[in-house]
Amino acid sequence: MAHTLRVGTYRDPGGSTGDWRDTAARYALLPLRIFLGVTFVYAGLDKLTDDRFMRASGDGSIGAQLRFLDESGDVAFHQLIDLALTSPVGFGYAIALGELAVGLGTLLGLLARVAALGGALISMSLWFTMSWAATPYYFGNDLPYLMAWLPLIMAGASYWSVDAWWRGRRRRL
């Protein structure tokens, strides 16, 4: 089978030529970046603005959730729960602010690979704790989020991002 370079009349903002498939391939990760960024910003703000969540005890609190997980024993790494139980409110703020930072970094494309790594680590820690008991495993929602961060860790944010602007500026200097 012969492989050829597709050449068309379209010229994208980056200056390269190609047909719509080339352009689609270049922008393929943008919807994923927007989805994960918006979702993590929303999750962080939701936690920070929920009076019940940021408490050590009570219905819907981070403390109650952590104690439930601790008592159930259905977690992969019990040490994570023990660590979080030393200061449930502090842990709640750490998760919420981490989600907010990851979401904003992903949306803006600011240190996008670092933001994606942070998102993957948050998703992995939630999978090992909150979603671990889901049976079958694909019912837990944190594992798909972990997998969704992997392409952004590898590729970063190449278009419409602060990172791309920095790269372009360095090239011109």
Side-chain angles (χ1 to χ4, degrees):
M1 175 189 287
H3 297 280
T4 61
L5 176 65
R6 294 186 303 252
V7 178
T9 58
Y10 178 80
R11 187 168 196 85
D12 78 358
S16 63
T17 58
D19 68 5
W20 68 270
R21 290 172 292 198
D22 295 324
T23 302
R26 280 190 296 277
Y27 289 94
L29 292 180
L30 192 58
L32 181 63
R33 196 176 117 206
I34 292 169
F35 170 75
L36 290 171
V38 167
T39 300
F40 269 58
V41 166
Y42 180 81
L45 289 176
D46 188 44
K47 288 173 180 67
L48 289 172
T49 58
D50 186 353
D51 288 339
R52 292 180 312 153
F53 180 79
M54 289 299 179
R55 293 188 181 172
S57 62
D59 287 342
S61 70
I62 183 68
Q65 289 178 26
L66 291 169
R67 276 189 289 289
F68 173 78
L69 288 170
D70 187 44
E71 293 166 4
S72 73
D74 289 334
V75 296
F77 292 103
H78 206 274
Q79 300 86 345
L80 292 173
I81 300 299
D82 292 339
L83 179 64
L85 277 170
T86 61
S87 177
V89 175
F91 179 74
Y93 276 108
I95 289 291
L97 293 172
E99 288 173 337
L100 190 57
V102 162
L104 289 173
T106 301
L107 281 175
L108 296 173
L110 176 63
L111 301 173
R113 285 188 169 108
V114 174
L117 179 62
L121 291 173
I122 290 171
S123 297
M124 185 172 59
S125 68
L126 293 173
W127 176 48
F128 284 143
T129 55
M130 302 297 285
S131 301
W132 188 254
T135 304
Y137 74 93
Y138 51 82
F139 281 173
N141 64 342
D142 296 306
L143 181 59
Y145 277 99
L146 171 60
M147 295 298 117
W149 285 111
L150 296 180
L152 294 178
I153 292 171
M154 293 185 285
S158 54
Y159 288 98
W160 296 342
S161 69
V162 174
D163 291 351
W165 178 76
W166 280 342
R167 278 191 304 275
R169 189 175 163 114
R170 277 195 308 259
R171 275 189 226 126
R172 286 189 297 269
L173 295 176

